[in-house]
Amino acid sequence: QVQLVESGGGLVQAGDSLRLSCAASGYFSSYTMGWFRQTPGKEREFVAALSGGLIYYADSVKGRFTISRGSAKNWVYLQMHSLKPEDTAVYYCAAASTIATMKSGDNDYWGQGTQVTVSS
């Protein structure tokens, strides 16, 4: 019964910053939470996750993106810095039982996605 809703996407220039938010309902704080992204014709790509107090990032975003949970524990954020045109994609919030499940793409829940477009 978990529902995830993303927000915060938009059109920005290369080098800019953007913060994505994910609001979860019917959510338990112990659930693994993360972000994926997808462009047309390509598979969804793992971006970042929080699981068991540990943080995971794709190599392509390490040092630029930061994933975090809000104090209320039902909000998850993705702070993006130094955005590049190749970051352009629809970004999805996801929830899974374990980090292994999330990285495999077999998530229990997905949000509807929010568009991020980075111009050069």
Side-chain angles (χ1 to χ4, degrees), residues 21-100:
S21 300
C22 174
S25 61
Y27 169 77
F28 293 95
S29 62
S30 60
Y31 229 73
T32 295
M33 301 294 298
W35 292 90
F36 284 72
R37 64 188 183 186
Q38 186 173 29
T39 56
K42 298 184 181 297
E43 294 184 357
R44 276 175 291 179
E45 175 190 16
F46 170 78
V47 176
L50 283 168
S51 182
L54 300 178
I55 302 175
Y56 305 82
Y57 295 104
D59 288 342
S60 60
V61 306
K62 287 183 68 175
R64 299 189 298 121
F65 291 11
T66 301
I67 186 172
S68 63
R69 273 198 171 102
S71 59
K73 305 300 182 183
N74 64 334
W75 287 83
V76 182
Y77 305 98
L78 185 67
Q79 180 66 55
M80 305 182 290
H81 295 292
S82 302
L83 284 163
K84 306 173 181 179
E86 52 262 45
D87 294 319
T88 295
V90 176
Y91 283 71
Y92 297 91
C93 182
S97 57
T98 67
I99 184 62

